[in-house]
Amino acid sequence: MPRLIRLLAVGTAIACLAATGARSQPYATDPSSLPLPETYFPALKEILSAAVSQSPRMVARNAENAAAEGNRIVMRSGQLPSFGGYFGYFPWERDWRADLPRYADVNRMNFNFAINQPIYHWGALQNTTRIGEIQLRMTEGQTAEGYRILVQEIRGQYLALVIKKAALAKARLSLHMAEDNVAVSQTKLEKKVISEGDMFLARLGLDRSKLATDQGEEDFNYTKLYFAKLCGAPALSDSQIPDEIPDAMGQAPALEPMLSTYTGQKELNSYNLRYLSDQIEVEKLTYQNITTRLRPQLNFQIATSQDQTSYTTNIAAKYRLTSIYTGFMVNWSIFDGFATRGAAASSLAHRRELEQSYKDLSANLTDQARNQLKQVGFARRGMEIANRLLESSSGALRDKKADAARGLASDVDVNTFQLAYHEAQISAFSARSDYLMKTADFLSTLLQDPALANLPKKP
């Protein structure tokens, strides 16, 4: 035991020197050098880029965008001229005429076609067009927000795959050691060196190792399947998944100025805030439209119509009236049972609610960004500690292998230290993953995440 403590102390000293050397490598201001998962895994960067178009979530969001564009066209149509009419032909009709002692058999044909152009609706038509444009922008903003969240989930799942791959390697090593222990214990039992109770414990340990390995394999395979569905891509093979998460220790990136710039803005940069701001604008335009409901609306019309009647009993008796007319029409709803008053009150109340939500979200985002920056610092400190423990475990394993080469330690001793090294490695990977994800969370909240550049640019 004292020897192990000395080995750990030596390993810790080596880790401190290694960490000091690593911190001498500063990050550049280039976004590609920020401590993000894709900085260390180029394949992940390609996955994030492809997910914009092939992830099932983004496919659904893109369909929402297309639907919003169609809705914008519909709402814009109110300002444009419309053309329509009707045509009717009735070959069998009976008319009663006062100048005849009987019904007259007739056939009738009539039609009416008109072009209508709204002229003045107190700004309601322009407001409706503007609402359609804003709603399209809102939908596109929600698509961008969905991608922002998707990026973080893809990153987290990718790093989880690396960690679970390492955990599975540890479980397999533990199973191998348990199998060796059972074999050795069986030999000792046959020689009556150990009791049946000792053999029971060895077999129980083997069963536990088998269970842990089977669970680890299932968890790893399921995560690969989930990751593939998340990205809309084929499942990754084991060889495509990295064996480790590299050490992200370097000079800490200058994130504080980014926070100061973000919180110093008059309006915070956030997709959700933009969404609320657009909702408020839509509500203002809706209220303006409501106030015009009981006002006269002016339209321009050009039309032609015809009404023709032919008597079957007297073919010479025909009646036809053809009209072509153009002019102005006024539609005026004078009283609607106070429906307009109720709609206006509801719209004002909804707008006040949205404005309060905007203020609350702004305050929450400021607090969230500040907290996330602190969490980045905590995660960085935790990563440094985990790295030191990993270096210590690595040094202890290296020394134990050297002892085994000199005949001073057995293979079982080496495997025990190897198992401890795997445990320290998994802890280090988890700490590195935590640091990378906390940094990504902070940048994502500020909309400074480089992955957001994958979103299509509007023409």
Side-chain angles (χ1 to χ4, degrees):
M1 190 66 179
R3 178 178 176 82
L4 177 59
I5 294 175
R6 287 196 300 270
L7 290 173
L8 291 174
V10 171
T12 302
I14 295 173
C16 291
L17 292 174
T20 301
R23 281 192 290 269
S24 64
Q25 302 173 1
Y27 286 110
T29 55
D30 182 2
S32 64
S33 298
L34 288 169
L36 296 170
E38 59 267 31
T39 301
Y40 303 94
F41 303 111
L44 176 59
K45 188 174 183 179
E46 297 178 3
I47 292 173
L48 293 176
S49 178
V52 173
S53 57
Q54 65 186 29
S55 169
R57 293 188 193 178
M58 295 307 295
V59 170
R61 287 304 320 174
N62 291 332
E64 288 286 339
N65 288 351
E69 171 61 20
N71 184 63
R72 183 197 67 80
I73 295 173
V74 171
M75 301 184 80
R76 170 73 174 88
S77 65
Q79 286 187 270
L80 302 177
S82 60
F83 174 74
Y86 64 84
F87 173 85
Y89 176 66
F90 309 95
W92 301 284
E93 181 179 333
R94 308 200 88 189
D95 288 350
W96 173 263
R97 291 184 51 177
D99 58 338
L100 294 176
R102 63 183 183 279
Y103 284 98
D105 295 327
V106 302
N107 60 64
R108 184 184 300 275
M109 180 181 69
N110 51 39
F111 64 80
N112 180 279
F113 296 98
I115 298 175
N116 292 284
Q117 172 62 59
I119 299 297
Y120 186 69
H121 287 205
W122 307 92
L125 298 178
Q126 293 85 343
N127 290 343
T128 300
T129 297
R130 180 62 182 152
I131 288 173
E133 294 170 350
I134 294 173
Q135 288 177 341
L136 173 60
R137 187 173 69 199
M138 291 166 61
T139 303
E140 292 173 343
Q142 289 300 96
T143 297
E145 174 67 11
Y147 179 68
R148 185 184 73 86
I149 296 172
L150 177 65
V151 164
Q152 285 298 89
E153 190 168 352
I154 289 176
R155 285 169 172 160
Q157 290 296 320
Y158 190 86
L159 294 176
L161 279 173
V162 180
I163 296 172
K164 289 179 180 181
K165 183 178 181 180
L168 183 57
K170 173 181 174 290
R172 287 169 176 167
L173 175 61
S174 180
L175 176 60
H176 175 70
M177 293 174 61
E179 291 172 343
D180 289 346
N181 184 42
V182 168
V184 171
S185 297
Q186 183 64 38
T187 301
K188 290 181 178 180
L189 180 65
E190 292 172 356
K191 295 180 179 179
K192 301 188 182 299
V193 176
I194 61 173
S195 65
E196 285 289 346
D198 295 328
M199 190 64 200
F200 170 77
L201 293 177
R203 289 170 178 162
L204 184 62
L206 176 60
D207 290 339
R208 286 175 173 172
S209 295
K210 286 181 178 179
L211 175 61
T213 302
D214 291 341
Q215 288 176 328
E217 289 180 348
E218 176 59 27
D219 187 26
F220 182 59
N221 291 331
Y222 177 78
T223 303
K224 287 194 295 183
L225 179 62
Y226 177 78
F227 183 78
K229 292 180 178 179
L230 186 66
C231 301
L236 297 175
S237 63
D238 291 359
S239 61
Q240 291 176 303
I241 300 173
D243 295 325
E244 64 175 0
I245 298 177
D247 183 7
M249 283 301 299
Q251 183 175 347
L255 301 180
E256 291 83 358
M258 299 175 67
L259 176 63
S260 299
T261 301
Y262 180 75
T263 56
Q265 300 176 98
K266 184 178 180 180
E267 294 185 1
L268 298 182
N269 196 15
S270 163
Y271 293 130
N272 287 330
L273 276 181
R274 294 177 194 174
Y275 184 84
L276 284 174
S277 178
D278 285 339
Q279 277 190 309
I280 293 171
E281 187 174 354
V282 166
E283 206 58 51
K284 289 179 180 178
L285 295 172
T286 300
Y287 177 79
Q288 292 176 13
N289 282 357
I290 290 173
T291 60
T292 67
R293 288 182 182 178
L294 299 182
R295 298 177 183 177
Q297 299 173 350
L298 179 64
N299 302 301
F300 178 75
Q301 185 178 85
I302 299 175
T304 180
S305 66
Q306 176 177 295
D307 187 8
Q308 175 177 312
T309 302
S310 299
Y311 292 88
T312 56
T313 57
N314 185 2
I315 300 176
K318 292 184 179 181
Y319 167 81
R320 182 173 69 180
L321 175 64
T322 302
S323 301
I324 299 176
Y325 51 93
T326 180
F328 296 93
M329 296 178 58
V330 176
N331 298 319
W332 194 352
S333 177
I334 298 175
F335 180 71
D336 60 1
F338 304 108
T340 297
R341 181 185 299 180
S346 176
S347 178
L348 286 174
H350 190 211
R351 190 171 82 191
R352 287 195 295 269
E353 179 187 2
L354 291 171
E355 289 170 345
Q356 185 60 46
S357 297
Y358 184 92
K359 293 178 182 178
D360 294 342
L361 181 57
S362 295
N364 292 339
L365 280 174
T366 299
D367 295 337
Q368 178 182 343
R370 289 171 178 162
N371 176 262
Q372 285 178 333
L373 182 58
K374 291 182 180 179
Q375 294 300 324
V376 171
F378 296 150
R380 182 180 177 83
R381 290 164 58 185
M383 178 180 63
E384 184 178 6
I385 293 172
N387 286 344
R388 288 159 56 190
L389 290 174
L390 177 61
E391 287 293 335
S392 176
S393 180
S394 177
L397 176 61
R398 187 167 51 249
D399 290 343
K400 184 57 64 176
K401 287 181 177 180
D403 288 346
R406 294 194 298 267
L408 301 177
S410 65
D411 291 340
V412 174
D413 295 331
V414 173
N415 286 338
T416 301
F417 274 74
Q418 183 72 49
L419 202 62
Y421 172 75
H422 277 299
E423 187 66 36
Q425 189 180 47
I426 293 170
S427 296
F429 290 174
S430 297
R432 294 169 184 176
S433 172
D434 185 53
Y435 174 63
L436 296 176
M437 289 302 299
K438 289 288 185 3
T439 303
D441 284 338
F442 174 75
L443 295 173
S444 183
T445 297
L446 272 57
L447 297 190
Q448 294 296 320
D449 189 342
L452 295 179
N454 294 325
L455 288 167
K457 302 294 188 298
K458 293 190 67 175

